Amino acid sequence: MENKNESITRQEDDFAQWYTDVCKKAELMDYSSTKGFIIYRPYGYAMWELIQKDLDARFKELGVQNVYMPLVIPESLLQKEKDHIEGFAPECLVATQGGKNQLEEKLIIRPTSETVFCDHFAKIISSYRDLPLQYNQWCSVVRWEKTTRPFLRGSEFLWQEGHTMYETEDEARNDAITMLNTYDDCGRDLLAIPFVKGKKTDKEKFAGAEETYSIEALMPDGKGLQSGTTHYFGTGFAKAFNIQYLGKDNKIHTPHETSWGVSTRLLGAIIMVHGDDNGLVLPPNVAPIQVVIIPIQQKKEEVMNKANEYYQTLKKAGIRVKLDDSNNTPGWKYSEWEMKGVPLRLEVGPRDIQNGVFVLAKRNTGEKIIVKDDELLSKIDELLKTIHTEMYNKAKQYLDHHMTRVNSLEQLQDALDNKGGYAEMMWCGNEECENKIKQLYQATSRCMPFNQKPFGDTCPCCGKKADKVVLFARAY
Amino acid sequence: MENKNESITRQEDDFAQWYTDVCKKAELMDYSSTKGFIIYRPYGYAMWELIQKDLDARFKELGVQNVYMPLVIPESLLQKEKDHIEGFAPECLVATQGGKNQLEEKLIIRPTSETVFCDHFAKIISSYRDLPLQYNQWCSVVRWEKTTRPFLRGSEFLWQEGHTMYETEDEARNDAITMLNTYDDCGRDLLAIPFVKGKKTDKEKFAGAEETYSIEALMPDGKGLQSGTTHYFGTGFAKAFNIQYLGKDNKIHTPHETSWGVSTRLLGAIIMVHGDDNGLVLPPNVAPIQVVIIPIQQKKEEVMNKANEYYQTLKKAGIRVKLDDSNNTPGWKYSEWEMKGVPLRLEVGPRDIQNGVFVLAKRNTGEKIIVKDDELLSKIDELLKTIHTEMYNKAKQYLDHHMTRVNSLEQLQDALDNKGGYAEMMWCGNEECENKIKQLYQATSRCMPFNQKPFGDTCPCCGKKADKVVLFARAY
């Protein structure tokens, strides 16, 4: 058994090391024998299951149907859309051998599945009656990455990928926005993470897409984290794959496509946005354990009886609760469940029982509250909601305070170097300025926020006319 | 849009072709551009989701935790257990290239994950306090098969694989039986399929296992279908991977291991066991749509109002219901939803409304029942239960009637050739007799049923002493 009390690196000493420490010590993941391929341990995987459950219900409410597509893509199929293969070729894992024989054609382990979806769509779409198609799959994808970090960038990660086909451009464009809003809702309700929603510049958009939209989150080290994307493809793939339908007008048309995805990168966002020097701090709705009960002097029968009674009551009420009756000391248990970020700790000892009370400790603030025995359910219900709101508001405040308007490259550099977060800049729309800023300051354009409020008309980088607000940041 | 009314091959004309027709025409799957890798279409995948939901809840009730392990296994890791690699080497898909470079070590796309689980277990197990570990993952695996058939044998299939470690042999052996019973319960309650439970002979057991147990189902063409297996590994893998723990006795011990899995092969079992010449017949509990409402003369407002009212009422009650208000004729709709095996069809037309009734048609028997308007929920609830029981009983009767005791090789051949199903035979325990029977009659030993009732003491194959009852069958 590992000792959970081992101290972890402090955030201010080395944020990157703090992150890795938490991933390991909170038992979210472990490294496997293959570089870049991690093991999702039960506690980390349970968080992913809660995200899946939330999103899957939202998707189905919108008419999305789940499917499962092959893990492998024949090389020739992946090459059908030119921009797409250019984007993905450098990071593909390639199978060349089946059983004892060389394969006739190389098989690519899917880095994303646009091509296999389109290959299938070409077979099943023939009439407007077949549209829209809103498909999604939950799976893993492989991208051969040189530098990897748990959950943030890996050679394999878990995700969902939605792929749709619509009759009209409007419907498809609308779908890309609807799904982005769906991710944003999940951030607000489940992850307690505020996102900036916006459109990617041409330089940063997905290989093969006409438009890419993204949700961007801000980490406490001042770096941005792209947390999900949706794409409008126009008819590019559909034409490459010869997908057509007979319209209501009895003419042949090409359908309009979108795709959208979020991944286990969201776990990385949760860890960083909310965590502290004692470890994870989990938002209640994505916490595998919402309340942990720690009996004080658990050898006393009345203590264990009371602890069990609380456990049963909470469990019956649908609260995700754990009773820690292991032989460790209460102090040891406190540290362990703090490391694991359990939102509420319930302590109950002989004196509490005499007084008809128990103690609740909030993980996010450390605050301790004495609660009357008969207020168990109502108080816990209330506090779980309060904690969620507090955590969301804290993250929102941090985001708002790290959004800096800049009117010159000097101000841009100052914001990036001394404050962190997003630098809001007027931009001419020219990729050369993005390249220059990347080269000079190691910052990239994160998105052009939907909420565009121009505050000037000149691009500080080239001095030309600017009409777009764009966010620059250093990013994961 | 495909024409669902196209006739399918009749079972008695060509059962194999009937099966493929149903898989395609009921839109359960489609072929992909890679041989042996199928696409799970929404209707087929929804069935798998219902199986997942049922089993996952049963697993968690037993203390099992979900994890996710890497998709790839370094060649050297897969080779650590000798029997295991011998079993799987001929059917591995192998990646040799990452990005633009040759890999330093070949990566095997997981055919099963014993080795990666053990590699991880070695890191996280050190004390008896760490045990038991009951892990499971839902994923796909790849086995490079020459001959493939939808759901029954594929180069990629979806499954769950449980992997556990226990302190004692008893606990581990008990786990292998418990999980087999769990699968059997799922067959009884969800799939309406009776299984024969038993132990595999040494010849048929899993590569690396000490014991393999299986659930075996009987198909209407008289062939057996192994539908799930559980394995007791002893300490073989644990020793190969150097997994040890410090016991309560303060001594070093080696833990005992099991693994267990079922796959999308269960979909194949459902299709074959219950299907008929009109297509799928789905047990209500695994039917993505349990009731389909077909309005008669749907242009009349009162008809659509009533159909909508029924739809809302059923949906609110948690019934999986679909209202088919497409422009197709009622007859066309009947055929389509019969093909898709929807357990109950609800018809409602102007005359029914006048009479305060509607009509229910049972897919499994074709029976039509006139029901009073106010008995909607109670009658449908009752009929869904009845249909499940009828379907289970029919399959059980078929199984019982195709279990033939044989006392000679002639009787064995007669049973296999003329009746189909399982031939129950006394067996000496010698692999040579299994080989001979396989060579002569293309039949394999399916299992030694738990319910052993010896009916002789001589092996009909070699004439030597026999004390085991074994089932022989031709099998998928």
Side-chain angles (χ1 to χ4, degrees):
Chain A
M1 200 156 54
E2 297 172 41
N3 180 0
K4 309 305 180 322
N5 275 323
E6 265 178 76
S7 69
I8 52 171
T9 308
R10 295 195 321 165
Q11 289 193 335
E12 61 171 80
D13 290 343
D14 184 344
F15 189 76
Q17 188 58 48
W18 168 85
Y19 177 78
T20 316
D21 285 354
V22 171
C23 286
K24 285 274 293 176
K25 301 246 169 83
E27 299 184 332
L28 298 175
M29 52 71 66
D30 200 356
Y31 297 103
S32 81
S33 288
T34 312
K35 192 180 161 297
F37 288 73
I38 65 167
I39 289 160
Y40 294 77
R41 298 188 67 180
Y43 200 61
Y45 194 78
M47 287 168 63
W48 181 238
E49 284 185 316
L50 288 164
I51 294 173
Q52 286 186 300
K53 195 177 163 194
D54 178 272
L55 281 176
D56 202 66
R58 293 180 197 266
F59 295 164
K60 283 176 176 159
E61 197 59 40
L62 291 167
V64 175
Q65 296 183 294
N66 284 338
V67 297
Y68 183 77
M69 291 284 164
L71 171 70
V72 298
I73 309 175
E75 194 178 32
S76 57
L77 194 64
L78 195 65
Q79 289 170 339
K80 271 201 169 180
E81 211 284 340
K82 192 177 54 64
D83 294 336
H84 191 63
I85 182 65
E86 272 176 26
F88 281 102
E91 51 185 51
C92 284
L93 179 66
V94 184
T96 57
Q97 189 184 326
K100 296 289 177 197
N101 305 316
Q102 285 302 111
L103 299 179
E104 284 171 28
E105 179 175 9
K106 288 180 183 175
L107 294 175
I108 315 298
I109 310 304
R110 65 172 162 239
T112 182
S113 304
E114 275 73 11
T115 52
V116 278
F117 273 90
C118 283
D119 193 41
H120 179 56
F121 286 156
K123 289 192 204 167
I124 65 170
I125 293 174
S126 60
S127 152
Y128 70 91
R129 288 190 212 88
D130 302 325
L131 299 173
L133 279 180
Q134 300 163 273
Y135 281 2
N136 175 65
Q137 75 173 345
W138 295 94
C139 64
S140 84
V141 287
V142 172
R143 297 178 187 177
W144 201 250
E145 301 275 2
K146 290 210 180 76
T147 316
T148 62
R149 301 192 60 196
F151 305 126
L152 299 176
R153 190 172 295 278
S155 290
E156 180 186 23
F157 55 85
L158 301 173
W159 81 345
Q160 60 69 217
E161 48 179 325
H163 298 269
T164 76
M165 282 285 179
Y166 287 93
E167 283 185 73
T168 66
E169 176 173 345
D170 272 2
E171 287 174 295
R173 283 187 183 275
N174 189 46
D175 178 83
I177 303 296
T178 302
M179 299 320 296
L180 198 74
N181 287 333
T182 302
Y183 295 151
D184 192 44
D185 294 347
C186 171
R188 185 194 59 216
D189 302 341
L190 196 80
L191 318 176
I193 296 179
F195 293 116
V196 177
K197 291 185 285 185
K199 192 166 114 174
K200 289 281 181 186
T201 63
D202 282 352
K203 177 179 161 64
E204 297 290 335
K205 72 186 190 189
F206 183 80
E210 243 180 61
E211 313 272 16
T212 290
Y213 306 101
S214 72
I215 44 169
E216 302 282 336
L218 187 59
M219 303 300 109
D221 60 352
K223 286 162 81 174
L225 182 76
Q226 177 182 302
S227 304
T229 48
T230 73
H231 316 288
Y232 168 65
F233 285 106
T235 55
F237 274 90
K239 281 177 181 152
F241 284 81
N242 202 23
I243 307 172
Q244 295 184 321
Y245 70 91
L246 190 67
K248 291 188 194 79
D249 58 5
N250 221 26
K251 288 182 186 155
I252 297 290
H253 298 272
T254 304
H256 295 256
E257 186 187 10
T258 76
S259 79
W260 28 271
V262 293
S263 74
T264 36
R265 189 170 241 216
L266 291 176
L267 300 183
I270 297 168
I271 298 162
M272 286 196 279
V273 166
H274 302 300
D276 66 20
D277 283 342
N278 293 319
L280 275 183
V281 182
L282 292 183
N285 296 336
V286 78
I289 301 168
Q290 296 172 307
V291 179
V292 62
I293 302 173
I294 315 254
I296 314 293
Q297 296 183 40
Q298 65 187 29
K299 276 174 190 158
K300 297 199 171 166
E301 203 185 331
E302 80 263 30
V303 172
M304 276 313 292
N305 284 346
K306 186 49 94 175
N308 261 315
E309 179 196 316
Y310 289 156
Y311 173 79
Q312 293 301 342
T313 306
L314 290 171
K315 195 177 171 191
K316 206 175 288 173
I319 307 280
R320 295 187 291 274
V321 57
K322 176 166 177 86
L323 169 55
D324 184 352
D325 57 358
S326 67
N327 286 327
N328 301 310
T329 65
W332 200 98
K333 292 178 187 178
Y334 292 2
S335 299
E336 168 160 15
W337 298 111
E338 273 171 12
M339 175 66 71
K340 291 201 159 182
V342 175
L344 280 175
R345 178 178 77 226
L346 189 161
E347 307 161 15
V348 59
R351 215 157 5 131
D352 301 317
I353 295 172
Q354 275 177 11
N355 296 333
V357 298
F358 58 87
V359 176
L360 287 177
K362 282 165 66 188
R363 175 65 181 91
N364 65 322
T365 59
E367 197 183 343
K368 280 192 168 201
I369 301 146
I370 295 172
V371 182
K372 283 192 206 142
D373 192 70
D374 60 0
E375 288 176 354
L376 177 74
L377 279 178
S378 60
K379 198 68 188 172
I380 282 178
D381 191 51
E382 176 199 321
L383 280 175
L384 290 175
K385 288 193 180 103
T386 305
I387 292 170
H388 176 86
T389 306
E390 286 172 353
M391 290 177 71
Y392 181 86
N393 289 344
K394 189 181 165 198
K396 182 76 170 70
Q397 200 169 41
Y398 180 83
L399 175 64
D400 292 343
H401 287 185
H402 290 79
M403 186 76 74
T404 310
R405 283 196 177 166
V406 299
N407 293 296
S408 68
L409 289 188
E410 292 68 35
Q411 288 180 6
L412 174 66
Q413 180 172 19
D414 183 56
L416 293 169
D417 284 353
N418 300 320
K419 191 174 169 192
Y422 297 109
E424 222 178 340
M425 195 184 97
M426 292 309 298
W427 176 56
C428 60
N430 200 321
E431 197 167 317
E432 278 166 37
C433 291
E434 288 178 271
N435 291 335
K436 186 173 167 191
I437 287 167
K438 187 169 182 184
Q439 206 190 349
L440 288 174
Y441 313 119
Q442 301 81 50
T444 49
S445 78
R446 305 317 306 150
C447 71
M448 296 175 282
F450 286 154
N451 187 15
Q452 288 273 314
K453 289 187 188 148
F455 54 94
D457 54 11
T458 312
C459 173
C461 194
C462 63
K464 289 188 187 145
K465 196 168 177 303
D467 61 356
K468 294 174 189 67
V469 180
V470 67
L471 301 185
F472 280 95
R474 294 181 180 138
Y476 280 91
Chain B
M1 197 157 56
E2 296 173 41
N3 179 1
K4 309 303 180 322
N5 275 322
E6 265 178 74
S7 69
I8 52 171
T9 308
R10 296 196 320 165
Q11 289 193 336
E12 62 170 80
D13 290 343
D14 183 346
F15 189 77
Q17 189 57 48
W18 167 85
Y19 177 78
T20 315
D21 285 353
V22 170
C23 286
K24 286 275 291 174
K25 301 247 168 85
E27 299 184 332
L28 298 175
M29 53 70 67
D30 199 358
Y31 297 103
S32 81
S33 287
T34 312
K35 191 179 162 296
F37 289 72
I38 65 166
I39 289 160
Y40 293 77
R41 299 188 66 180
Y43 201 62
Y45 194 78
M47 287 168 64
W48 181 238
E49 284 186 317
L50 289 164
I51 294 173
Q52 285 187 301
K53 195 176 164 195
D54 178 272
L55 281 176
D56 202 67
R58 293 179 197 266
F59 294 164
K60 283 176 175 156
E61 197 60 40
L62 291 167
V64 175
Q65 296 183 294
N66 283 339
V67 297
Y68 183 77
M69 291 283 164
L71 170 70
V72 296
I73 309 174
E75 194 178 32
S76 57
L77 194 65
L78 195 64
Q79 289 170 339
K80 270 201 169 182
E81 211 283 341
K82 192 177 53 63
D83 293 337
H84 191 64
I85 183 65
E86 274 176 25
F88 281 103
E91 51 184 52
C92 285
L93 179 66
V94 184
T96 58
Q97 189 185 328
K100 296 289 177 198
N101 305 316
Q102 285 300 112
L103 300 179
E104 285 171 27
E105 179 175 9
K106 287 181 183 176
L107 293 175
I108 314 299
I109 311 304
R110 65 172 161 239
T112 180
S113 304
E114 274 74 12
T115 53
V116 278
F117 272 90
C118 282
D119 193 40
H120 179 55
F121 286 156
K123 288 192 205 167
I124 64 169
I125 294 174
S126 60
S127 152
Y128 70 91
R129 288 189 211 87
D130 302 325
L131 299 173
L133 279 180
Q134 299 163 273
Y135 281 3
N136 175 64
Q137 76 174 346
W138 295 94
C139 64
S140 83
V141 287
V142 172
R143 296 179 187 177
W144 200 251
E145 300 276 2
K146 291 210 179 76
T147 316
T148 62
R149 301 192 60 196
F151 305 125
L152 298 175
R153 189 172 294 278
S155 289
E156 181 186 24
F157 56 85
L158 301 173
W159 80 344
Q160 58 69 218
E161 47 178 326
H163 297 269
T164 76
M165 282 285 178
Y166 287 92
E167 284 184 71
T168 65
E169 175 173 345
D170 272 2
E171 286 173 296
R173 284 187 181 276
N174 188 46
D175 179 83
I177 302 296
T178 302
M179 299 321 296
L180 197 75
N181 287 333
T182 302
Y183 295 151
D184 192 43
D185 293 347
C186 172
R188 185 195 58 217
D189 301 340
L190 196 79
L191 318 175
I193 296 179
F195 294 116
V196 177
K197 292 185 286 185
K199 192 167 116 174
K200 289 281 182 186
T201 63
D202 282 351
K203 177 180 161 64
E204 298 290 334
K205 73 186 187 186
F206 183 79
E210 245 181 58
E211 314 272 15
T212 290
Y213 305 101
S214 72
I215 44 169
E216 303 282 336
L218 188 58
M219 303 299 109
D221 60 352
K223 285 162 82 174
L225 182 76
Q226 176 182 301
S227 304
T229 48
T230 72
H231 315 288
Y232 168 65
F233 285 106
T235 56
F237 274 90
K239 282 177 181 153
F241 284 81
N242 203 23
I243 307 171
Q244 295 184 322
Y245 70 92
L246 189 67
K248 291 188 195 78
D249 59 4
N250 222 26
K251 289 182 186 155
I252 298 290
H253 298 271
T254 305
H256 295 256
E257 187 187 10
T258 76
S259 80
W260 28 271
V262 293
S263 74
T264 35
R265 189 170 242 217
L266 291 176
L267 300 184
I270 296 168
I271 298 163
M272 286 196 279
V273 166
H274 301 301
D276 66 21
D277 283 341
N278 292 320
L280 276 184
V281 181
L282 292 184
N285 295 337
V286 79
I289 301 169
Q290 295 173 308
V291 179
V292 62
I293 301 174
I294 315 251
I296 314 294
Q297 297 182 39
Q298 64 187 30
K299 277 174 190 160
K300 297 199 172 166
E301 204 185 331
E302 81 261 30
V303 171
M304 274 314 290
N305 284 347
K306 186 50 93 176
N308 260 315
E309 178 196 317
Y310 289 156
Y311 173 78
Q312 294 301 342
T313 306
L314 290 171
K315 195 178 171 191
K316 206 174 289 173
I319 306 279
R320 295 187 290 274
V321 58
K322 177 167 177 86
L323 169 56
D324 184 352
D325 56 0
S326 66
N327 285 327
N328 300 310
T329 64
W332 200 98
K333 293 178 187 178
Y334 291 2
S335 298
E336 167 160 16
W337 298 111
E338 273 172 12
M339 175 66 72
K340 291 200 160 183
V342 174
L344 279 176
R345 179 176 76 225
L346 190 161
E347 307 161 15
V348 60
R351 210 149 18 126
D352 300 318
I353 296 172
Q354 275 179 10
N355 296 333
V357 299
F358 58 86
V359 176
L360 287 177
K362 284 166 65 189
R363 174 66 181 89
N364 67 321
T365 58
E367 198 183 343
K368 280 191 168 203
I369 301 146
I370 296 171
V371 182
K372 284 194 206 139
D373 192 69
D374 61 359
E375 288 176 354
L376 177 75
L377 279 178
S378 61
K379 199 65 189 176
I380 283 178
D381 191 53
E382 176 199 321
L383 279 176
L384 290 175
K385 289 194 180 102
T386 305
I387 291 170
H388 176 87
T389 306
E390 286 172 354
M391 290 177 71
Y392 181 87
N393 288 344
K394 189 180 164 198
K396 182 74 170 71
Q397 199 169 41
Y398 179 84
L399 174 65
D400 291 344
H401 287 185
H402 289 78
M403 187 74 76
T404 311
R405 283 196 178 167
V406 299
N407 293 297
S408 68
L409 289 187
E410 291 69 34
Q411 288 180 7
L412 174 67
Q413 179 170 22
D414 182 56
L416 293 169
D417 286 351
N418 301 319
K419 191 173 168 193
Y422 296 110
E424 222 178 341
M425 195 184 96
M426 293 309 299
W427 175 56
C428 59
N430 200 322
E431 198 168 314
E432 279 168 35
C433 291
E434 287 178 272
N435 290 335
K436 186 173 166 189
I437 287 167
K438 186 169 182 184
Q439 205 191 348
L440 288 174
Y441 313 118
Q442 300 80 49
T444 48
S445 78
R446 305 316 308 151
C447 72
M448 297 175 280
F450 286 154
N451 186 15
Q452 288 273 315
K453 288 186 188 148
F455 54 93
D457 54 10
T458 312
C459 173
C461 193
C462 63
K464 289 188 187 145
K465 196 168 176 304
D467 60 357
K468 294 174 189 66
V469 180
V470 67
L471 300 186
F472 280 95
R474 291 179 183 143
Y476 279 90

